[in-house]
PDB file of all heavy atoms in Angstrom:
ATOM      1  N   SER A1387      62.485   2.062  30.680  1.00 97.00           N
ATOM      2  CA  SER A1387      63.730   2.808  30.868  1.00 97.00           C
ATOM      3  C   SER A1387      64.806   1.983  31.569  1.00 97.00           C
ATOM      4  O   SER A1387      65.976   2.336  31.544  1.00 97.00           O
ATOM      5  CB  SER A1387      63.471   4.086  31.662  1.00 97.00           C
ATOM      6  OG  SER A1387      62.940   3.762  32.941  1.00 97.00           O
ATOM      7  N   ALA A1388      64.407   0.882  32.193  1.00 95.00           N
ATOM      8  CA  ALA A1388      65.320  -0.044  32.870  1.00 95.00           C
ATOM      9  C   ALA A1388      64.729  -1.439  32.747  1.00 95.00           C
ATOM     10  O   ALA A1388      63.596  -1.605  32.320  1.00 95.00           O
ATOM     11  CB  ALA A1388      65.488   0.344  34.336  1.00 95.00           C
ATOM     12  N   ARG A1389      65.479  -2.432  33.147  1.00 93.00           N
ATOM     13  CA  ARG A1389      65.000  -3.816  33.045  1.00 93.00           C
ATOM     14  C   ARG A1389      63.714  -3.966  33.857  1.00 93.00           C
ATOM     15  O   ARG A1389      63.714  -3.755  35.073  1.00 93.00           O
ATOM     16  CB  ARG A1389      66.065  -4.778  33.552  1.00 93.00           C
ATOM     17  CG  ARG A1389      65.713  -6.225  33.311  1.00 93.00           C
ATOM     18  CD  ARG A1389      66.865  -7.139  33.724  1.00 93.00           C
ATOM     19  NE  ARG A1389      66.549  -8.507  33.437  1.00 93.00           N
ATOM     20  CZ  ARG A1389      66.829  -9.128  32.304  1.00 93.00           C
ATOM     21  NH1 ARG A1389      67.472  -8.488  31.356  1.00 93.00           N
ATOM     22  NH2 ARG A1389      66.495 -10.375  32.114  1.00 93.00           N
ATOM     23  N   PRO A1390      62.607  -4.338  33.192  1.00 91.00           N
ATOM     24  CA  PRO A1390      61.336  -4.468  33.911  1.00 91.00           C
ATOM     25  C   PRO A1390      61.283  -5.747  34.732  1.00 91.00           C
ATOM     26  O   PRO A1390      61.996  -6.707  34.466  1.00 91.00           O
ATOM     27  CB  PRO A1390      60.308  -4.502  32.789  1.00 91.00           C
ATOM     28  CG  PRO A1390      61.046  -5.065  31.625  1.00 91.00           C
ATOM     29  CD  PRO A1390      62.472  -4.595  31.772  1.00 91.00           C
ATOM     30  N   THR A1391      60.427  -5.719  35.737  1.00 82.00           N
ATOM     31  CA  THR A1391      60.184  -6.900  36.549  1.00 82.00           C
ATOM     32  C   THR A1391      58.710  -7.243  36.475  1.00 82.00           C
ATOM     33  O   THR A1391      57.878  -6.400  36.162  1.00 82.00           O
ATOM     34  CB  THR A1391      60.567  -6.654  38.020  1.00 82.00           C
ATOM     35  OG1 THR A1391      59.781  -5.570  38.526  1.00 82.00           O
ATOM     36  CG2 THR A1391      62.037  -6.319  38.154  1.00 82.00           C
ATOM     37  N   ARG A1392      58.380  -8.465  36.758  1.00 72.00           N
ATOM     38  CA  ARG A1392      56.994  -8.917  36.714  1.00 72.00           C
ATOM     39  C   ARG A1392      56.143  -8.280  37.802  1.00 72.00           C
ATOM     40  O   ARG A1392      54.963  -8.086  37.652  1.00 72.00           O
ATOM     41  CB  ARG A1392      56.923 -10.436  36.885  1.00 72.00           C
ATOM     42  CG  ARG A1392      56.832 -11.173  35.608  1.00 72.00           C
ATOM     43  CD  ARG A1392      55.464 -10.974  35.055  1.00 72.00           C
ATOM     44  NE  ARG A1392      55.283 -11.727  33.846  1.00 72.00           N
ATOM     45  CZ  ARG A1392      54.398 -11.412  32.944  1.00 72.00           C
ATOM     46  NH1 ARG A1392      53.620 -10.389  33.082  1.00 72.00           N
ATOM     47  NH2 ARG A1392      54.259 -12.137  31.879  1.00 72.00           N
ATOM     48  N   LYS A1393      56.746  -7.941  38.880  1.00 67.00           N
ATOM     49  CA  LYS A1393      55.988  -7.352  39.987  1.00 67.00           C
ATOM     50  C   LYS A1393      55.579  -5.926  39.634  1.00 67.00           C
ATOM     51  O   LYS A1393      56.022  -5.369  38.649  1.00 67.00           O
ATOM     52  CB  LYS A1393      56.840  -7.388  41.249  1.00 67.00           C
ATOM     53  CG  LYS A1393      57.383  -8.776  41.517  1.00 67.00           C
ATOM     54  CD  LYS A1393      57.248  -9.164  42.928  1.00 67.00           C
ATOM     55  CE  LYS A1393      57.924 -10.497  43.082  1.00 67.00           C
ATOM     56  NZ  LYS A1393      57.324 -11.528  43.614  1.00 67.00           N
ATOM     57  N   GLY A1394      54.761  -5.299  40.409  1.00 66.00           N
ATOM     58  CA  GLY A1394      54.188  -3.996  40.128  1.00 66.00           C
ATOM     59  C   GLY A1394      55.170  -2.869  39.863  1.00 66.00           C
ATOM     60  O   GLY A1394      54.801  -1.838  39.336  1.00 66.00           O
ATOM     61  N   SER A1395      56.442  -3.050  40.209  1.00 71.00           N
ATOM     62  CA  SER A1395      57.402  -1.963  40.036  1.00 71.00           C
ATOM     63  C   SER A1395      57.703  -1.660  38.571  1.00 71.00           C
ATOM     64  O   SER A1395      58.265  -0.617  38.266  1.00 71.00           O
ATOM     65  CB  SER A1395      58.698  -2.285  40.773  1.00 71.00           C
ATOM     66  OG  SER A1395      59.300  -3.434  40.236  1.00 71.00           O
ATOM     67  N   SER A1396      57.328  -2.521  37.646  1.00 83.00           N
ATOM     68  CA  SER A1396      57.630  -2.277  36.240  1.00 83.00           C
ATOM     69  C   SER A1396      56.872  -1.070  35.703  1.00 83.00           C
ATOM     70  O   SER A1396      57.291  -0.462  34.726  1.00 83.00           O
ATOM     71  CB  SER A1396      57.335  -3.511  35.386  1.00 83.00           C
ATOM     72  OG  SER A1396      55.954  -3.760  35.336  1.00 83.00           O
ATOM     73  N   ARG A1397      55.786  -0.688  36.331  1.00 86.00           N
ATOM     74  CA  ARG A1397      55.044   0.475  35.845  1.00 86.00           C
ATOM     75  C   ARG A1397      55.840   1.762  36.032  1.00 86.00           C
ATOM     76  O   ARG A1397      55.609   2.744  35.348  1.00 86.00           O
ATOM     77  CB  ARG A1397      53.673   0.563  36.505  1.00 86.00           C
ATOM     78  CG  ARG A1397      53.691   0.936  37.958  1.00 86.00           C
ATOM     79  CD  ARG A1397      52.265   1.071  38.501  1.00 86.00           C
ATOM     80  NE  ARG A1397      52.278   1.396  39.892  1.00 86.00           N
ATOM     81  CZ  ARG A1397      52.198   0.528  40.877  1.00 86.00           C
ATOM     82  NH1 ARG A1397      52.066  -0.758  40.604  1.00 86.00           N
ATOM     83  NH2 ARG A1397      52.220   0.918  42.124  1.00 86.00           N
ATOM     84  N   TYR A1398      56.811   1.760  36.945  1.00 90.00           N
ATOM     85  CA  TYR A1398      57.632   2.943  37.174  1.00 90.00           C
ATOM     86  C   TYR A1398      58.659   3.158  36.064  1.00 90.00           C
ATOM     87  O   TYR A1398      59.156   4.267  35.898  1.00 90.00           O
ATOM     88  CB  TYR A1398      58.336   2.867  38.524  1.00 90.00           C
ATOM     89  CG  TYR A1398      57.377   2.799  39.674  1.00 90.00           C
ATOM     90  CD1 TYR A1398      57.305   1.677  40.478  1.00 90.00           C
ATOM     91  CD2 TYR A1398      56.516   3.865  39.944  1.00 90.00           C
ATOM     92  CE1 TYR A1398      56.403   1.604  41.532  1.00 90.00           C
ATOM     93  CE2 TYR A1398      55.616   3.800  40.995  1.00 90.00           C
ATOM     94  CZ  TYR A1398      55.564   2.671  41.785  1.00 90.00           C
ATOM     95  OH  TYR A1398      54.668   2.605  42.819  1.00 90.00           O
ATOM     96  N   THR A1399      58.994   2.104  35.351  1.00 94.00           N
ATOM     97  CA  THR A1399      59.978   2.215  34.274  1.00 94.00           C
ATOM     98  C   THR A1399      59.328   2.269  32.896  1.00 94.00           C
ATOM     99  O   THR A1399      60.023   2.444  31.896  1.00 94.00           O
ATOM    100  CB  THR A1399      60.965   1.037  34.315  1.00 94.00           C
ATOM    101  OG1 THR A1399      60.250  -0.184  34.133  1.00 94.00           O
ATOM    102  CG2 THR A1399      61.738   1.010  35.632  1.00 94.00           C
ATOM    103  N   LEU A1400      58.023   2.122  32.821  1.00 95.00           N
ATOM    104  CA  LEU A1400      57.308   2.088  31.539  1.00 95.00           C
ATOM    105  C   LEU A1400      57.380   3.443  30.837  1.00 95.00           C
ATOM    106  O   LEU A1400      57.008   4.467  31.402  1.00 95.00           O
ATOM    107  CB  LEU A1400      55.845   1.687  31.752  1.00 95.00           C
ATOM    108  CG  LEU A1400      54.966   1.636  30.506  1.00 95.00           C
ATOM    109  CD1 LEU A1400      55.449   0.564  29.541  1.00 95.00           C
ATOM    110  CD2 LEU A1400      53.517   1.396  30.894  1.00 95.00           C
ATOM    111  N   LEU A1401      57.862   3.418  29.595  1.00 97.00           N
ATOM    112  CA  LEU A1401      57.918   4.621  28.774  1.00 97.00           C
ATOM    113  C   LEU A1401      56.773   4.659  27.761  1.00 97.00           C
ATOM    114  O   LEU A1401      56.125   5.678  27.599  1.00 97.00           O
ATOM    115  CB  LEU A1401      59.259   4.708  28.027  1.00 97.00           C
ATOM    116  CG  LEU A1401      60.510   4.803  28.901  1.00 97.00           C
ATOM    117  CD1 LEU A1401      61.766   4.718  28.038  1.00 97.00           C
ATOM    118  CD2 LEU A1401      60.490   6.100  29.703  1.00 97.00           C
ATOM    119  N   ARG A1402      56.549   3.547  27.087  1.00 96.00           N
ATOM    120  CA  ARG A1402      55.490   3.444  26.069  1.00 96.00           C
ATOM    121  C   ARG A1402      55.073   1.995  25.934  1.00 96.00           C
ATOM    122  O   ARG A1402      55.840   1.091  26.219  1.00 96.00           O
ATOM    123  CB  ARG A1402      55.995   3.908  24.698  1.00 96.00           C
ATOM    124  CG  ARG A1402      56.191   5.374  24.604  1.00 96.00           C
ATOM    125  CD  ARG A1402      56.801   5.878  23.311  1.00 96.00           C
ATOM    126  NE  ARG A1402      56.483   5.176  22.095  1.00 96.00           N
ATOM    127  CZ  ARG A1402      57.183   5.295  20.972  1.00 96.00           C
ATOM    128  NH1 ARG A1402      58.235   6.088  20.929  1.00 96.00           N
ATOM    129  NH2 ARG A1402      56.844   4.640  19.896  1.00 96.00           N
ATOM    130  N   GLY A1403      53.854   1.802  25.439  1.00 95.00           N
ATOM    131  CA  GLY A1403      53.365   0.450  25.215  1.00 95.00           C
ATOM    132  C   GLY A1403      52.610   0.345  23.907  1.00 95.00           C
ATOM    133  O   GLY A1403      52.176   1.341  23.342  1.00 95.00           O
ATOM    134  N   SER A1404      52.472  -0.876  23.440  1.00 94.00           N
ATOM    135  CA  SER A1404      51.696  -1.177  22.241  1.00 94.00           C
ATOM    136  C   SER A1404      50.878  -2.428  22.537  1.00 94.00           C
ATOM    137  O   SER A1404      51.442  -3.486  22.817  1.00 94.00           O
ATOM    138  CB  SER A1404      52.627  -1.424  21.049  1.00 94.00           C
ATOM    139  OG  SER A1404      51.894  -1.907  19.946  1.00 94.00           O
ATOM    140  N   TYR A1405      49.560  -2.275  22.446  1.00 94.00           N
ATOM    141  CA  TYR A1405      48.682  -3.379  22.848  1.00 94.00           C
ATOM    142  C   TYR A1405      47.625  -3.714  21.797  1.00 94.00           C
ATOM    143  O   TYR A1405      46.790  -4.570  22.024  1.00 94.00           O
ATOM    144  CB  TYR A1405      47.990  -3.025  24.171  1.00 94.00           C
ATOM    145  CG  TYR A1405      48.942  -2.494  25.213  1.00 94.00           C
ATOM    146  CD1 TYR A1405      49.018  -1.128  25.485  1.00 94.00           C
ATOM    147  CD2 TYR A1405      49.794  -3.345  25.906  1.00 94.00           C
ATOM    148  CE1 TYR A1405      49.901  -0.621  26.427  1.00 94.00           C
ATOM    149  CE2 TYR A1405      50.686  -2.849  26.846  1.00 94.00           C
ATOM    150  CZ  TYR A1405      50.731  -1.492  27.104  1.00 94.00           C
ATOM    151  OH  TYR A1405      51.608  -0.997  28.032  1.00 94.00           O
ATOM    152  N   GLY A1406      47.643  -3.039  20.660  1.00 92.00           N
ATOM    153  CA  GLY A1406      46.551  -3.164  19.703  1.00 92.00           C
ATOM    154  C   GLY A1406      46.714  -4.170  18.588  1.00 92.00           C
ATOM    155  O   GLY A1406      45.742  -4.503  17.925  1.00 92.00           O
ATOM    156  N   HIS A1407      47.919  -4.672  18.348  1.00 92.00           N
ATOM    157  CA  HIS A1407      48.139  -5.560  17.197  1.00 92.00           C
ATOM    158  C   HIS A1407      48.706  -6.915  17.612  1.00 92.00           C
ATOM    159  O   HIS A1407      49.398  -7.558  16.833  1.00 92.00           O
ATOM    160  CB  HIS A1407      49.113  -4.911  16.208  1.00 92.00           C
ATOM    161  CG  HIS A1407      48.638  -3.618  15.649  1.00 92.00           C
ATOM    162  ND1 HIS A1407      47.675  -3.550  14.675  1.00 92.00           N
ATOM    163  CD2 HIS A1407      48.978  -2.341  15.933  1.00 92.00           C
ATOM    164  CE1 HIS A1407      47.456  -2.278  14.374  1.00 92.00           C
ATOM    165  NE2 HIS A1407      48.228  -1.525  15.131  1.00 92.00           N
ATOM    166  N   GLY A1408      48.421  -7.337  18.825  1.00 92.00           N
ATOM    167  CA  GLY A1408      49.049  -8.525  19.380  1.00 92.00           C
ATOM    168  C   GLY A1408      48.916  -9.791  18.574  1.00 92.00           C
ATOM    169  O   GLY A1408      49.887 -10.511  18.355  1.00 92.00           O
ATOM    170  N   GLU A1409      47.711 -10.078  18.110  1.00 93.00           N
ATOM    171  CA  GLU A1409      47.506 -11.325  17.360  1.00 93.00           C
ATOM    172  C   GLU A1409      48.203 -11.293  16.016  1.00 93.00           C
ATOM    173  O   GLU A1409      48.837 -12.271  15.609  1.00 93.00           O
ATOM    174  CB  GLU A1409      46.010 -11.593  17.193  1.00 93.00           C
ATOM    175  CG  GLU A1409      45.341 -12.003  18.486  1.00 93.00           C
ATOM    176  CD  GLU A1409      43.874 -12.351  18.298  1.00 93.00           C
ATOM    177  OE1 GLU A1409      43.491 -12.829  17.216  1.00 93.00           O
ATOM    178  OE2 GLU A1409      43.113 -12.152  19.251  1.00 93.00           O
ATOM    179  N   ALA A1410      48.097 -10.171  15.310  1.00 91.00           N
ATOM    180  CA  ALA A1410      48.747 -10.056  14.005  1.00 91.00           C
ATOM    181  C   ALA A1410      50.266 -10.112  14.148  1.00 91.00           C
ATOM    182  O   ALA A1410      50.956 -10.732  13.334  1.00 91.00           O
ATOM    183  CB  ALA A1410      48.312  -8.776  13.312  1.00 91.00           C
ATOM    184  N   LEU A1411      50.788  -9.469  15.192  1.00 93.00           N
ATOM    185  CA  LEU A1411      52.226  -9.499  15.429  1.00 93.00           C
ATOM    186  C   LEU A1411      52.698 -10.917  15.719  1.00 93.00           C
ATOM    187  O   LEU A1411      53.711 -11.367  15.193  1.00 93.00           O
ATOM    188  CB  LEU A1411      52.603  -8.562  16.577  1.00 93.00           C
ATOM    189  CG  LEU A1411      54.085  -8.485  16.934  1.00 93.00           C
ATOM    190  CD1 LEU A1411      54.922  -8.053  15.736  1.00 93.00           C
ATOM    191  CD2 LEU A1411      54.294  -7.549  18.111  1.00 93.00           C
ATOM    192  N   ALA A1412      51.970 -11.639  16.541  1.00 92.00           N
ATOM    193  CA  ALA A1412      52.321 -13.031  16.844  1.00 92.00           C
ATOM    194  C   ALA A1412      52.306 -13.880  15.577  1.00 92.00           C
ATOM    195  O   ALA A1412      53.185 -14.722  15.380  1.00 92.00           O
ATOM    196  CB  ALA A1412      51.359 -13.605  17.879  1.00 92.00           C
ATOM    197  N   LYS A1413      51.357 -13.618  14.712  1.00 89.00           N
ATOM    198  CA  LYS A1413      51.262 -14.376  13.460  1.00 89.00           C
ATOM    199  C   LYS A1413      52.479 -14.127  12.574  1.00 89.00           C
ATOM    200  O   LYS A1413      53.068 -15.060  12.033  1.00 89.00           O
ATOM    201  CB  LYS A1413      49.986 -13.989  12.713  1.00 89.00           C
ATOM    202  CG  LYS A1413      49.782 -14.725  11.428  1.00 89.00           C
ATOM    203  CD  LYS A1413      48.495 -14.296  10.751  1.00 89.00           C
ATOM    204  CE  LYS A1413      48.352 -14.970   9.396  1.00 89.00           C
ATOM    205  NZ  LYS A1413      47.184 -14.478   8.673  1.00 89.00           N
ATOM    206  N   VAL A1414      52.867 -12.865  12.446  1.00 89.00           N
ATOM    207  CA  VAL A1414      54.029 -12.528  11.617  1.00 89.00           C
ATOM    208  C   VAL A1414      55.296 -13.132  12.205  1.00 89.00           C
ATOM    209  O   VAL A1414      56.093 -13.753  11.490  1.00 89.00           O
ATOM    210  CB  VAL A1414      54.191 -10.997  11.486  1.00 89.00           C
ATOM    211  CG1 VAL A1414      55.505 -10.644  10.822  1.00 89.00           C
ATOM    212  CG2 VAL A1414      53.041 -10.399  10.710  1.00 89.00           C
ATOM    213  N   LEU A1415      55.498 -12.987  13.505  1.00 90.00           N
ATOM    214  CA  LEU A1415      56.722 -13.489  14.128  1.00 90.00           C
ATOM    215  C   LEU A1415      56.785 -15.016  14.156  1.00 90.00           C
ATOM    216  O   LEU A1415      57.875 -15.587  14.179  1.00 90.00           O
ATOM    217  CB  LEU A1415      56.868 -12.918  15.541  1.00 90.00           C
ATOM    218  CG  LEU A1415      57.052 -11.405  15.625  1.00 90.00           C
ATOM    219  CD1 LEU A1415      57.238 -10.973  17.076  1.00 90.00           C
ATOM    220  CD2 LEU A1415      58.203 -10.923  14.769  1.00 90.00           C
ATOM    221  N   SER A1416      55.634 -15.677  14.123  1.00 87.00           N
ATOM    222  CA  SER A1416      55.632 -17.141  14.144  1.00 87.00           C
ATOM    223  C   SER A1416      56.171 -17.738  12.844  1.00 87.00           C
ATOM    224  O   SER A1416      56.499 -18.925  12.800  1.00 87.00           O
ATOM    225  CB  SER A1416      54.225 -17.669  14.420  1.00 87.00           C
ATOM    226  OG  SER A1416      53.386 -17.440  13.308  1.00 87.00           O
ATOM    227  N   THR A1417      56.290 -16.937  11.805  1.00 84.00           N
ATOM    228  CA  THR A1417      56.814 -17.439  10.529  1.00 84.00           C
ATOM    229  C   THR A1417      58.337 -17.474  10.506  1.00 84.00           C
ATOM    230  O   THR A1417      58.923 -18.037   9.584  1.00 84.00           O
ATOM    231  CB  THR A1417      56.328 -16.558   9.353  1.00 84.00           C
ATOM    232  OG1 THR A1417      56.889 -15.248   9.491  1.00 84.00           O
ATOM    233  CG2 THR A1417      54.820 -16.477   9.303  1.00 84.00           C
ATOM    234  N   LEU A1418      58.974 -16.898  11.507  1.00 87.00           N
ATOM    235  CA  LEU A1418      60.435 -16.815  11.528  1.00 87.00           C
ATOM    236  C   LEU A1418      61.062 -18.098  12.048  1.00 87.00           C
ATOM    237  O   LEU A1418      60.506 -18.775  12.917  1.00 87.00           O
ATOM    238  CB  LEU A1418      60.880 -15.635  12.390  1.00 87.00           C
ATOM    239  CG  LEU A1418      60.397 -14.277  11.914  1.00 87.00           C
ATOM    240  CD1 LEU A1418      60.779 -13.207  12.929  1.00 87.00           C
ATOM    241  CD2 LEU A1418      60.960 -13.950  10.548  1.00 87.00           C
ATOM    242  N   ASP A1419      62.247 -18.392  11.544  1.00 80.00           N
ATOM    243  CA  ASP A1419      62.993 -19.576  11.955  1.00 80.00           C
ATOM    244  C   ASP A1419      63.766 -19.281  13.237  1.00 80.00           C
ATOM    245  O   ASP A1419      64.636 -18.409  13.257  1.00 80.00           O
ATOM    246  CB  ASP A1419      63.960 -19.980  10.845  1.00 80.00           C
ATOM    247  CG  ASP A1419      64.733 -21.248  11.164  1.00 80.00           C
ATOM    248  OD1 ASP A1419      64.451 -21.905  12.199  1.00 80.00           O
ATOM    249  OD2 ASP A1419      65.626 -21.600  10.370  1.00 80.00           O
ATOM    250  N   ARG A1420      63.425 -19.991  14.273  1.00 79.00           N
ATOM    251  CA  ARG A1420      64.074 -19.773  15.575  1.00 79.00           C
ATOM    252  C   ARG A1420      65.543 -20.192  15.556  1.00 79.00           C
ATOM    253  O   ARG A1420      66.335 -19.758  16.371  1.00 79.00           O
ATOM    254  CB  ARG A1420      63.317 -20.548  16.649  1.00 79.00           C
ATOM    255  CG  ARG A1420      63.765 -20.162  18.009  1.00 79.00           C
ATOM    256  CD  ARG A1420      62.857 -20.652  19.061  1.00 79.00           C
ATOM    257  NE  ARG A1420      63.291 -20.017  20.298  1.00 79.00           N
ATOM    258  CZ  ARG A1420      62.683 -20.049  21.411  1.00 79.00           C
ATOM    259  NH1 ARG A1420      61.556 -20.703  21.499  1.00 79.00           N
ATOM    260  NH2 ARG A1420      63.147 -19.453  22.473  1.00 79.00           N
ATOM    261  N   ARG A1421      65.910 -21.035  14.628  1.00 80.00           N
ATOM    262  CA  ARG A1421      67.301 -21.493  14.543  1.00 80.00           C
ATOM    263  C   ARG A1421      68.171 -20.540  13.740  1.00 80.00           C
ATOM    264  O   ARG A1421      69.364 -20.724  13.641  1.00 80.00           O
ATOM    265  CB  ARG A1421      67.358 -22.881  13.928  1.00 80.00           C
ATOM    266  CG  ARG A1421      66.713 -23.932  14.833  1.00 80.00           C
ATOM    267  CD  ARG A1421      66.501 -25.204  14.102  1.00 80.00           C
ATOM    268  NE  ARG A1421      65.390 -24.938  13.172  1.00 80.00           N
ATOM    269  CZ  ARG A1421      65.004 -25.732  12.212  1.00 80.00           C
ATOM    270  NH1 ARG A1421      65.608 -26.854  12.008  1.00 80.00           N
ATOM    271  NH2 ARG A1421      63.983 -25.411  11.447  1.00 80.00           N
ATOM    272  N   GLY A1422      67.561 -19.492  13.160  1.00 75.00           N
ATOM    273  CA  GLY A1422      68.310 -18.531  12.363  1.00 75.00           C
ATOM    274  C   GLY A1422      69.138 -17.593  13.211  1.00 75.00           C
ATOM    275  O   GLY A1422      69.147 -17.659  14.437  1.00 75.00           O
ATOM    276  N   SER A1423      69.817 -16.695  12.541  1.00 76.00           N
ATOM    277  CA  SER A1423      70.722 -15.781  13.249  1.00 76.00           C
ATOM    278  C   SER A1423      70.020 -14.530  13.772  1.00 76.00           C
ATOM    279  O   SER A1423      70.624 -13.760  14.500  1.00 76.00           O
ATOM    280  CB  SER A1423      71.852 -15.355  12.308  1.00 76.00           C
ATOM    281  OG  SER A1423      71.325 -14.663  11.197  1.00 76.00           O
ATOM    282  N   GLY A1424      68.778 -14.329  13.425  1.00 87.00           N
ATOM    283  CA  GLY A1424      68.064 -13.128  13.838  1.00 87.00           C
ATOM    284  C   GLY A1424      67.589 -13.167  15.278  1.00 87.00           C
ATOM    285  O   GLY A1424      67.631 -14.200  15.947  1.00 87.00           O
ATOM    286  N   LYS A1425      67.141 -12.017  15.737  1.00 93.00           N
ATOM    287  CA  LYS A1425      66.632 -11.878  17.109  1.00 93.00           C
ATOM    288  C   LYS A1425      65.128 -12.117  17.193  1.00 93.00           C
ATOM    289  O   LYS A1425      64.634 -12.658  18.167  1.00 93.00           O
ATOM    290  CB  LYS A1425      66.947 -10.483  17.653  1.00 93.00           C
ATOM    291  CG  LYS A1425      68.408 -10.225  17.848  1.00 93.00           C
ATOM    292  CD  LYS A1425      68.909 -11.067  18.982  1.00 93.00           C
ATOM    293  CE  LYS A1425      70.368 -10.797  19.261  1.00 93.00           C
ATOM    294  NZ  LYS A1425      70.904 -11.726  20.228  1.00 93.00           N
ATOM    295  N   LEU A1426      64.377 -11.672  16.202  1.00 94.00           N
ATOM    296  CA  LEU A1426      62.910 -11.749  16.288  1.00 94.00           C
ATOM    297  C   LEU A1426      62.388 -13.180  16.328  1.00 94.00           C
ATOM    298  O   LEU A1426      61.321 -13.430  16.886  1.00 94.00           O
ATOM    299  CB  LEU A1426      62.272 -10.989  15.128  1.00 94.00           C
ATOM    300  CG  LEU A1426      62.416  -9.475  15.186  1.00 94.00           C
ATOM    301  CD1 LEU A1426      61.819  -8.840  13.947  1.00 94.00           C
ATOM    302  CD2 LEU A1426      61.774  -8.915  16.446  1.00 94.00           C
ATOM    303  N   GLY A1427      63.123 -14.107  15.778  1.00 92.00           N
ATOM    304  CA  GLY A1427      62.726 -15.510  15.841  1.00 92.00           C
ATOM    305  C   GLY A1427      62.708 -16.053  17.259  1.00 92.00           C
ATOM    306  O   GLY A1427      62.069 -17.054  17.547  1.00 92.00           O
ATOM    307  N   TRP A1428      63.393 -15.379  18.162  1.00 91.00           N
ATOM    308  CA  TRP A1428      63.465 -15.801  19.555  1.00 91.00           C
ATOM    309  C   TRP A1428      62.332 -15.264  20.419  1.00 91.00           C
ATOM    310  O   TRP A1428      62.217 -15.621  21.595  1.00 91.00           O
ATOM    311  CB  TRP A1428      64.801 -15.395  20.166  1.00 91.00           C
ATOM    312  CG  TRP A1428      65.889 -16.292  19.680  1.00 91.00           C
ATOM    313  CD1 TRP A1428      66.737 -16.048  18.638  1.00 91.00           C
ATOM    314  CD2 TRP A1428      66.202 -17.589  20.157  1.00 91.00           C
ATOM    315  NE1 TRP A1428      67.567 -17.127  18.453  1.00 91.00           N
ATOM    316  CE2 TRP A1428      67.259 -18.085  19.383  1.00 91.00           C
ATOM    317  CE3 TRP A1428      65.682 -18.391  21.178  1.00 91.00           C
ATOM    318  CZ2 TRP A1428      67.814 -19.349  19.587  1.00 91.00           C
ATOM    319  CZ3 TRP A1428      66.240 -19.646  21.387  1.00 91.00           C
ATOM    320  CH2 TRP A1428      67.281 -20.101  20.599  1.00 91.00           C
ATOM    321  N   VAL A1429      61.492 -14.409  19.847  1.00 93.00           N
ATOM    322  CA  VAL A1429      60.355 -13.890  20.616  1.00 93.00           C
ATOM    323  C   VAL A1429      59.387 -15.038  20.885  1.00 93.00           C
ATOM    324  O   VAL A1429      58.937 -15.716  19.968  1.00 93.00           O
ATOM    325  CB  VAL A1429      59.654 -12.733  19.871  1.00 93.00           C
ATOM    326  CG1 VAL A1429      58.384 -12.317  20.599  1.00 93.00           C
ATOM    327  CG2 VAL A1429      60.603 -11.548  19.730  1.00 93.00           C
ATOM    328  N   ASP A1430      59.103 -15.259  22.153  1.00 91.00           N
ATOM    329  CA  ASP A1430      58.228 -16.352  22.582  1.00 91.00           C
ATOM    330  C   ASP A1430      56.783 -15.864  22.627  1.00 91.00           C
ATOM    331  O   ASP A1430      56.444 -15.006  23.443  1.00 91.00           O
ATOM    332  CB  ASP A1430      58.663 -16.822  23.978  1.00 91.00           C
ATOM    333  CG  ASP A1430      57.860 -17.990  24.507  1.00 91.00           C
ATOM    334  OD1 ASP A1430      56.915 -18.446  23.824  1.00 91.00           O
ATOM    335  OD2 ASP A1430      58.166 -18.453  25.620  1.00 91.00           O
ATOM    336  N   PRO A1431      55.904 -16.386  21.744  1.00 88.00           N
ATOM    337  CA  PRO A1431      54.517 -15.920  21.733  1.00 88.00           C
ATOM    338  C   PRO A1431      53.723 -16.338  22.972  1.00 88.00           C
ATOM    339  O   PRO A1431      52.620 -15.855  23.191  1.00 88.00           O
ATOM    340  CB  PRO A1431      53.944 -16.551  20.469  1.00 88.00           C
ATOM    341  CG  PRO A1431      54.794 -17.744  20.219  1.00 88.00           C
ATOM    342  CD  PRO A1431      56.164 -17.397  20.737  1.00 88.00           C
TER     343      PRO A1431
END
């Protein structure tokens, strides 16, 4: 709900999470060109 922080306070802003498809998601996103105009290519695995 707000900018999360690495420290424990991020659990107070957590609305929803997804933890079940991490490897497959990383595989799909790794095919994107980081130099392109899109946003998903900038996701750091």
Side-chain angles (χ1 to χ4, degrees):
S1387 60
R1389 188 175 183 91
T1391 60
R1392 263 287 183 203
K1393 308 225 185 233
S1395 63
S1396 68
R1397 71 177 179 266
Y1398 299 115
T1399 61
L1400 179 64
L1401 298 173
R1402 288 175 34 197
S1404 171
Y1405 312 102
H1407 299 284
E1409 289 184 30
L1411 180 58
K1413 181 180 176 185
V1414 171
L1415 296 182
S1416 70
T1417 65
L1418 299 174
D1419 183 6
R1420 191 167 189 171
R1421 294 167 288 170
S1423 62
K1425 293 291 183 188
L1426 290 177
W1428 285 96
V1429 173
D1430 182 358

